[in-house]
Amino acid sequence: MTGPQLPAYEVYAIRYATREARRSSHFIGGDPHDGPMPMDYYMWVIKGDGRAIVVDAGFTEDVARKRERTFLRCPVDTLALLDVDPEQVADVILTHLHYDHVGNFHRFPAAQFHMQEAEMHYATGRYMRYPRLSHAFEVEDVCGMVRLNYESRVRFYGGSAELAPGIHLHAAGGHSAGLQFVTVNTRRGVVVLASDVSHFYENMASYRPFPTAFHIGEMLEGFDKLQAAAPSPDHIIPGHDPLVMQRYPAPNPACEGIVVRLDADPR
């Protein structure tokens, strides 16, 4: 006897910002072949089974200016290209609380936010006295999530969990203490939204973690977790790699260069 068939969701990546960088900035210990290696910033959307779930919330234009990032477009406004109304979104998954993943939380007034409890402990705990770790957070974002918790709008997890049929959260840690990634059942199998478990394809392929690190051992184990969750490496979507925009098609001409569809086969 087989169980009920899982929904096959559509999955999208919205590219909303970028920055120039070099290879030496993206690997612990640098890189012997240093050269340009730009970084893109994404927000992800899962659609299907009568719902639209947003994964991460990007950052604002003000924060882009403060941190000297090139702001291309507001990711929340860009949801209109996918016929998603942010005021109607009921669920937002936060992979972690770094500035580039939570900054537009206030644009989702009806949403429940889903995160690992360890991330809230980390972002409000003793390690934030060290600038090397706290620099990746915006204090007002963290305070905003604390306020939303007092409004009963944050759901915490203590490990991996099912959010909906065919959508699972997976605790990883490493880059941030409560980092999680997301697996989604789609028409091409399970797609793994790695977020910052692997910033670039090359991080996980070479087992060389990104330099922003809380626990390097957990970062390395995170690469193993991504591979275990995915049918193949082509099903893993890294969190910041410009190659994502090259490997996947736009859902329609209006989205060209802005949104790509991740449940489609890569080029």
Side-chain angles (χ1 to χ4, degrees):
M1 179 180 294
T2 60
Q5 186 172 359
L6 293 174
Y9 296 93
E10 302 169 7
V11 187
Y12 301 91
I14 296 172
R15 176 177 179 259
Y16 70 91
T18 190
R19 74 177 177 97
E20 297 301 318
R22 299 187 67 80
R23 293 183 56 83
S24 56
S25 299
H26 300 320
F27 304 95
I28 289 176
D31 188 87
H33 306 291
D34 197 16
M37 192 174 183
M39 172 182 281
D40 281 350
Y41 296 84
Y42 297 97
M43 186 170 79
W44 301 275
V45 181
I46 302 166
K47 290 185 69 178
D49 200 30
R51 69 179 75 217
I53 296 173
V54 171
V55 181
D56 287 343
F59 53 74
T60 65
E61 189 168 10
D62 287 344
V63 168
R65 191 176 302 111
K66 171 184 175 181
R67 290 181 178 259
E68 299 182 338
R69 305 303 189 241
T70 300
F71 194 73
L72 302 173
R73 58 192 59 88
C74 174
V76 180
D77 292 344
T78 307
L79 290 171
L81 291 175
L82 299 174
D83 296 319
V84 174
D85 180 355
E87 295 195 0
Q88 301 299 318
V89 169
D91 296 287
V92 175
I93 298 168
L94 297 177
T95 61
H96 58 308
L97 292 179
H98 284 176
Y99 77 95
D100 51 326
H101 295 264
V102 66
N104 289 294
F105 69 90
H106 59 286
R107 297 287 305 276
F108 299 94
Q112 281 280 315
F113 292 84
H114 303 267
M115 60 184 292
Q116 293 292 318
E117 187 171 9
E119 184 69 0
M120 183 66 90
H121 292 174
Y122 177 52
T124 59
R126 67 185 188 272
Y127 293 111
M128 292 302 101
R129 69 190 300 269
Y130 301 112
R132 184 66 186 87
L133 297 175
S134 64
H135 80 280
F137 297 87
E138 287 287 329
V139 172
E140 292 307 312
D141 292 342
V142 176
C143 291
M145 295 311 300
V146 170
R147 292 186 182 99
L148 288 182
N149 185 37
Y150 273 78
E151 296 173 16
S152 301
R153 291 184 55 203
V154 183
R155 181 173 177 185
F156 292 110
Y157 299 85
S160 300
E162 181 182 67
L163 179 61
I167 302 174
H168 289 80
L169 313 177
H170 302 264
H175 170 67
S176 191
L179 177 65
Q180 61 183 350
F181 65 93
V182 184
T183 55
V184 187
N185 191 63
T186 76
R187 61 184 179 175
R188 73 178 182 104
V190 173
V191 167
V192 179
L193 298 177
S195 184
D196 290 1
V197 180
S198 190
H199 285 61
F200 294 86
Y201 286 104
E202 194 172 346
N203 290 121
M204 58 185 173
S206 64
Y207 273 77
R208 289 185 297 158
F210 192 79
T212 300
F214 176 65
H215 192 299
I216 294 172
E218 289 182 357
M219 294 179 84
L220 293 167
E221 290 177 337
F223 299 149
D224 292 336
K225 291 179 179 180
L226 294 178
Q227 293 182 38
S232 78
D234 281 341
H235 289 77
I236 303 173
I237 312 299
H240 290 275
D241 203 320
L243 289 175
V244 171
M245 297 300 294
Q246 300 176 28
R247 293 187 179 186
Y248 292 92
N252 56 61
C255 291
E256 198 67 47
I258 302 171
V259 181
V260 290
R261 188 164 178 176
L262 305 175
D263 57 299
D265 291 325
R267 298 164 176 166

